Structures are given as structure tokens and as C-alpha cells.
Amino acid sequence: MGGTVAAWTALQVPRCLAGLLLFGTEGLSFTGGWASPKTLCGSGSEWATGADGLQVLQCHGREDTLCPLGFATTCTDELRKLGCSVRSLAFRGVGHALSFDMLEEAKLWLQQRIP
């Protein structure tokens, strides 16, 4: 749920943030989860004011059984539809956990965004 809350919050900030980092999360799911279209009011441009150009790094374990990779893929697609620039990475041999490789990717990504 942490990634879902982070994504919803970042999208609704009235200015573009430096970035959104997601690890092993469903994030957004407009295909039947609790964040389905019936819970939204208006188009993406009305509620997702921070989406346009938002840089997102999404890291997910390929062997995640708690939050399967397909959920992350759906999230990536939805974020892109809203105008986010998403780099989505799936890591072999990783379940619902952080790996050293994920943390290294996040470190490099953050170094590019934080002066």
C-alpha cells in the first residue's frame, strides 16, 4: 500500500515533483483494484495535476508472489497514460523484497535528480 499512497500523493501535488520511486507495489490499478475508475472524479488532467512529466522509477521482483509483476506492469501503463515518464525494471530472482541491484538503480536515479 505504501507505493499506492506515494503514487496517488505525487500525482495530486499541483506541481511536478523531482520524481517518484516505487518498489514492489501495485501502485495504481485502474482495472479493478480499490483505485478503479469509479473512485476517480474527472479526467486525469483534473485530479492528477502532478503527472505531466513526472519522472518515475519502478523496481519490481520477477518472483514477487505477494504483488505479481503484472500489477506493476499495469501501473506503468497507467502512469504513462497520465503523462509520467516511467522507467520500469523487473529483477530476476527477487520476490517481494528489495535487492542490492534495486538499491543501486535507485541510488543512481536519485543522484540524477537531487543536486
Side-chain angles (χ1 to χ4, degrees):
M1 286 305 291
T4 300
V5 172
W8 276 98
T9 302
L11 292 171
Q12 293 181 61
V13 172
R15 63 180 179 83
C16 191
L17 299 175
L20 171 63
L21 182 54
L22 300 172
F23 289 107
T25 182
E26 179 179 336
L28 298 179
S29 174
F30 299 125
T31 58
W34 70 269
S36 64
K38 65 181 176 292
T39 65
L40 304 178
C41 297
S43 67
S45 63
E46 292 174 8
W47 68 269
T49 56
D52 191 32
L54 178 63
Q55 299 291 310
V56 180
L57 175 62
Q58 185 172 17
C59 298
H60 208 90
R62 287 190 177 273
E63 283 73 39
D64 190 339
T65 56
L66 185 62
C67 182
L69 182 58
F71 291 162
T73 302
T74 299
C75 176
T76 296
D77 295 343
E78 296 298 337
L79 288 170
R80 286 181 177 148
K81 287 178 191 173
L82 291 170
C84 298
S85 176
V86 183
R87 181 167 185 228
S88 181
L89 302 172
F91 295 81
R92 292 191 188 285
V94 180
H96 193 68
L98 294 177
S99 70
F100 178 80
D101 291 337
M102 285 179 175
L103 294 175
E104 282 298 307
E105 285 292 336
K107 175 184 168 184
L108 295 172
W109 186 83
L110 286 167
Q111 287 174 335
Q112 295 173 352
R113 278 151 193 79
I114 298 174

